[in-house]
Amino acid sequence: MGELDVVTGAFGFTGKYIAGRLLKLGRRVRTLTGHPNRPNPFGAAVEVAPLNFADPAGLVKGLSGADTLYYTYWIRFPYRGVTFADAVANSRRLFAAAREAGVRRVVHISIVNPSPDSPLPYFRGKAQVEEALMATGLPYAVVRPTVIFGPEDILFNNIAWMLRRFPVFAIPGAGDYRLQPVFVDDVARIAVEAGRGEANLIVEAAGPEIYTFKELVSLIARKVGSRARLLHVPPGVALLLAGLIGRLVGDVVLTRDELSGLMGNLLVAAGPATGEVRFSRWLGENAHRVGLAYASEVRRHYAPAGV
């Protein structure tokens, strides 16, 4: 067996692809998860340990013997009393545990365009986590994805779901703000390559195509055969409509901060593309299954095991 790597959330989205790539390289993989009883897509190939931020000794034990920690934990929005400040504090606890456990290197999945001065808590919190990692003195790699797509993604799936089911799709404002989709397995590839290095590193994970939001929605509509009318509305109206759909499906469809980040062009990388898979090609190959069912953030991360 190869050396041991630890991946947080290997039963989730990005973490699953990172774990899969590590296994193919012959590495041993352990996941730290808050849902240890949920289905394990890797069977016995991945060890399972609890991710309990309130148990520092347990975190050290879960990281014991690990060469590299791949850190994917974050929250999309505050929920059930867990705030962005809590998520930052949780990250500090895990980094301290990694240092105590003797982990050689930490690969942190961040976000493109983080800033400690950002008015948006998501981007500001991500910058604070990066700073906390760097302050530990542990060798690190920070991977900054733009906006991730893939079979299990939420954003693009739910755009397709709405286009399939409603006669109108609301475009906030002019729809000319841009985003740069990156394939989840490209993010995993970049992360694993960064994990094998020695030097401290910050790298963007960005796909080869950039769209305006209106272009992206129009592309998805064409590929899934939607006849929905694209209607430009004020951002506040778009948020109101997203809230109504959220009540219908029991989820948070879109937050004000997410819309501000999108409209502020924060989902586009400053550097060259590092991803290889084109969103347009992937969508063309997978349009028959994208958006068939709504993907719930709340259900995915907060539902009881087995639900």
Side-chain angles (χ1 to χ4, degrees):
M1 293 291 289
E3 288 188 280
L4 172 68
D5 294 323
V6 172
V7 182
T8 62
F11 305 158
F13 185 29
T14 310
K16 181 173 76 173
Y17 286 83
I18 293 173
R21 280 190 168 265
L22 291 170
L23 289 171
K24 288 179 181 178
L25 291 174
R27 310 284 291 186
R28 287 174 55 211
V29 177
R30 178 185 300 150
T31 187
L32 300 185
T33 174
H35 305 285
N37 297 319
R38 288 193 175 177
N40 179 346
F42 302 104
V46 170
E47 304 169 22
V48 181
L51 180 62
N52 182 356
F53 294 109
D55 180 14
L59 293 176
V60 173
K61 182 179 179 181
L63 291 165
S64 178
D67 175 75
T68 304
L69 166 63
Y70 293 86
Y71 187 59
T72 69
Y73 164 80
W74 194 237
I75 60 172
R76 221 188 94 197
F77 44 76
Y79 191 75
R80 292 185 179 174
V82 179
T83 66
F84 287 114
D86 293 326
V88 173
N90 288 340
S91 300
R92 290 195 177 101
R93 293 186 185 101
L94 190 63
F95 295 154
R99 183 180 177 87
E100 185 175 342
V103 171
R104 178 188 68 87
R105 186 168 178 80
V106 177
V107 178
H108 168 49
I109 307 300
S110 185
I111 188 71
V112 74
N113 296 312
S115 170
D117 301 318
S118 175
L120 305 177
Y122 189 104
F123 290 85
R124 185 170 66 247
K126 281 289 194 179
Q128 291 168 344
V129 173
E130 291 185 10
E131 291 174 346
L133 173 58
M134 296 172 189
T136 65
L138 286 167
Y140 66 83
V142 173
V143 178
R144 293 175 171 173
T146 47
V147 55
I148 303 174
F149 71 90
E152 306 88 350
D153 89 64
I154 286 181
L155 174 63
F156 301 106
N157 178 85
N158 289 347
I159 289 174
W161 181 83
M162 287 183 276
L163 286 166
R164 287 181 184 273
R165 281 158 181 78
F166 299 111
V168 173
F169 186 96
I171 301 286
D176 56 353
Y177 35 87
R178 302 175 302 152
L179 65 167
Q180 188 173 3
V182 60
F183 187 51
V184 61
D185 195 48
D186 277 333
V187 177
R189 171 183 54 80
I190 292 165
V192 171
E193 289 173 355
R196 303 278 64 82
E198 299 290 338
N200 292 337
L201 173 69
I202 297 176
V203 59
E204 292 179 328
E209 296 176 324
I210 297 176
Y211 299 90
T212 68
F213 185 69
K214 184 176 182 179
E215 288 171 344
L216 184 97
V217 173
S218 298
L219 173 65
I220 296 173
R222 290 196 304 273
K223 294 297 184 181
V224 303
S226 171
R227 296 183 179 180
R229 178 187 175 194
L230 305 189
L231 181 65
H232 293 268
V233 300
V237 173
L239 285 170
L240 175 62
L241 294 172
L244 293 174
I245 296 172
R247 292 190 188 96
L248 175 68
V249 297
D251 191 27
V252 178
V253 175
L254 179 70
T255 71
R256 185 176 299 276
D257 285 348
E258 287 173 335
L259 182 56
S260 296
L262 173 62
M263 296 186 71
N265 288 301
L266 294 181
L267 299 181
V268 177
T274 49
E276 299 171 353
V277 177
R278 294 180 174 273
F279 178 75
S280 57
R281 179 173 179 177
W282 178 88
L283 181 62
E285 295 171 349
N286 293 273
H288 62 284
R289 61 178 178 175
V290 175
L292 295 181
Y294 181 83
S296 171
E297 181 82 18
V298 168
R299 185 178 179 86
R300 179 175 296 183
H301 294 289
Y302 299 100
V307 174

